[in-house]
Each structure stands twice: as structure tokens, then as C-alpha cells.
């Protein structure tokens, strides 16, 4: 919860990736709050109050996962809604002539996005494809698996695009972005 709060303020993409990781952590521990409390939360240097807050946060996430049928796979509705907001902003940025750096980053990443979509679920939005790729790389790194130079290059371009999108998302939420039709 504490990490999530900070990430949400600084990078919406990192926040979403973190929340996807938390969903997976909950699944690894069998959606069991006592196990999560004992095996996961106890590992952090939290005060008793912080430990209680973190436990409540996990309890709410577990409840949502159960209610939404996400115990085995998929993302919570709160994360899906947020992802859709990010996708909507991505589309608005691409349609605008006021964000040439974003458009340039998109077109540099596009061949890699197309390649990823051809290998995976073609019905998944481009931005979700990018986030899936970043999540996959994060998992490979955690497992200390090798990443090919070609993959590293693709991830570099995707990271640049998603980083810009995250920055624009935060700016849009704090100051408001000016599009042609505003």
C-alpha cells in the first residue's frame, strides 16, 4: 500500500505494474490473508500501525479478487479502469499535433508493439501490450534470466514510450494537458 501510494503519484505505469505484481503475489499465497500476513507483510520493517494498514489493504484486494473472480488470473476492475484512462490519454496524444515527441516515441516503438501483438493476444490494446512486455521483462529479471540484445532494444523503446505516457498522465491529472480541441 505504501509503495503503491508513492508510485501512483510519480508514475502511473510503474503503479500499474506494481499492482499487477501484487495481484500475482496474492495468488501465489493462495488468496489467504493469514499466509500473506505471515509470509509477506512480516518481512517489511513496518510499525504495528503500518502493518495493520498493509494487512487491511491486502484484505480489501483479496475481497475484490474473490468478488470479481480474479483468483486465478486477470486484473482487478480498479486496475482495468485506470489502464483504460491511460489508453484514452494515449489515443488523445496520438490524435493531437501538440505532442510530437510522444508521436515520435510511439512510431519508434510501434514495430516492436506489432511484433509482440503478433506473438500474443491481438485483441489487447497497444498500451496493455507494452505493459505486458514490461511486466514480462520484470519477471525475467527477478528470475535472473538472460534478456537478448534484441529484446533489450525493444524494451528500451517501449520503456521510453510508456515513460512519456506516464509523465503526460501525471501532468494531465495535476495541471491538465492542452489539446487542440480544448
Amino acid at each position: 500500500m505504501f509503495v503503491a501510494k508513492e508510485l501512483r503519484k510519480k508514475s502511473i505505469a510503474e503503479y500499474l505494474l506494481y499492482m499487477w505484481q501484487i495481484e500475482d503475489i496474492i495468488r501465489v499465497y493462495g488468496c489467504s490473508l493469514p499466509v500473506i500476513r505471515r509470509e509477506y507483510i512480516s518481512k517489511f520493517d513496518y510499525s504495528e500501525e503500518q502493518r495493520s494498514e498493509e494487512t487491511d489493504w491486502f484484505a480489501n484486494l483479496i475481497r475484490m479478487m474473490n468478488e470479481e473472480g480474479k483468483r486465478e488470473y486477470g486484473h482487478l476492475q480498479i486496475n482495468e479502469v485506470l489502464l483504460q484512462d491511460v489508453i484514452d490519454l494515449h489515443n488523445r496524444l496520438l490524435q493531437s499535433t501538440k505532442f510530437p515527441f510522444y508521436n515520435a516515441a510511439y512510431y519508434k516503438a510501434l514495430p516492436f508493439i506489432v511484433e509482440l501483438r503478433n506473438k500474443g493476444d491481438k485483441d489487447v490494446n497497444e498500451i496493455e501490450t507494452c505493459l505486458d512486455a514490461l511486466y514480462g521483462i520484470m519477471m525475467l529479471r527477478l528470475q535472473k534470466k538472460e534478456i537478448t540484445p534484441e529484446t533489450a532494444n525493444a524494451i528500451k523503446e517501449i520503456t521510453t514510450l510508456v515513460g512519456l505516457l506516464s509523465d503526460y498522465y501525471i501532468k494531465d491529472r495535476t495541471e491538465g494537458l492542452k489539446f487542440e480541441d480544448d
Side-chain angles (χ1 to χ4, degrees):
M1 175 188 86
F2 303 107
V3 172
K5 278 184 177 178
E6 288 307 308
L7 287 176
R8 183 140 188 181
K9 289 181 215 167
K10 86 174 180 110
S11 171
I12 205 62
E14 287 181 43
Y15 172 80
L16 280 168
L17 293 172
Y18 178 76
M19 290 305 296
W20 290 1
Q21 184 180 25
I22 291 296
E23 291 167 345
D24 283 345
I25 287 169
I26 290 169
R27 291 182 187 109
V28 164
Y29 290 113
C31 297
S32 169
L33 186 59
V35 175
I36 290 170
R37 189 184 302 123
R38 183 179 66 244
E39 303 286 326
Y40 184 75
I41 296 172
S42 68
K43 306 280 189 238
F44 296 94
D45 187 26
Y46 288 147
S47 69
E48 197 53 49
E49 182 181 334
Q50 288 173 318
R51 194 171 289 112
S52 177
E53 284 181 55
E54 190 82 352
T55 300
D56 288 347
W57 184 66
F58 270 96
N60 284 326
L61 292 173
I62 291 167
R63 180 187 49 76
M64 287 187 276
M65 288 175 77
N66 285 325
E67 288 173 359
E68 296 176 20
K70 305 292 182 178
R71 287 179 65 98
E72 303 295 322
Y73 60 88
H75 301 301
L76 288 169
Q77 192 63 37
I78 56 170
N79 296 329
E80 291 288 343
V81 167
L82 189 54
L83 176 59
Q84 189 57 53
D85 285 349
V86 173
I87 291 168
D88 291 346
L89 177 59
H90 164 72
N91 292 331
R92 289 173 56 212
L93 289 167
L94 288 181
Q95 292 167 2
S96 174
T97 57
K98 290 191 171 191
F99 304 95
F101 292 114
Y102 186 77
N103 275 271
Y106 170 72
Y107 285 108
K108 278 185 88 173
L110 188 57
F112 304 114
I113 296 168
V114 169
E115 187 177 339
L116 286 166
R117 289 179 81 184
N118 286 336
K119 291 179 182 175
D121 188 346
K122 291 172 183 55
D123 295 330
V124 172
N125 175 278
E126 296 172 320
I127 296 304
E128 188 169 357
T129 298
C130 290
L131 290 171
D132 284 341
L134 294 175
Y135 190 79
I137 289 296
M138 185 174 75
M139 292 295 108
L140 289 174
R141 288 183 177 143
L142 285 172
Q143 297 166 20
K144 302 199 183 326
K145 292 194 175 169
E146 189 175 335
I147 296 163
T148 66
E150 296 82 15
T151 300
N153 183 50
I155 290 302
K156 180 177 160 267
E157 297 302 335
I158 288 170
T159 299
T160 300
L161 174 67
V162 171
L164 277 172
L165 181 55
S166 281
D167 291 346
Y168 280 128
Y169 182 89
I170 299 297
K171 185 172 181 160
D172 193 38
R173 294 295 178 262
T174 56
E175 305 168 27
L177 292 174
K178 299 289 182 223
F179 294 89
E180 283 87 9
D181 53 358
D182 290 349

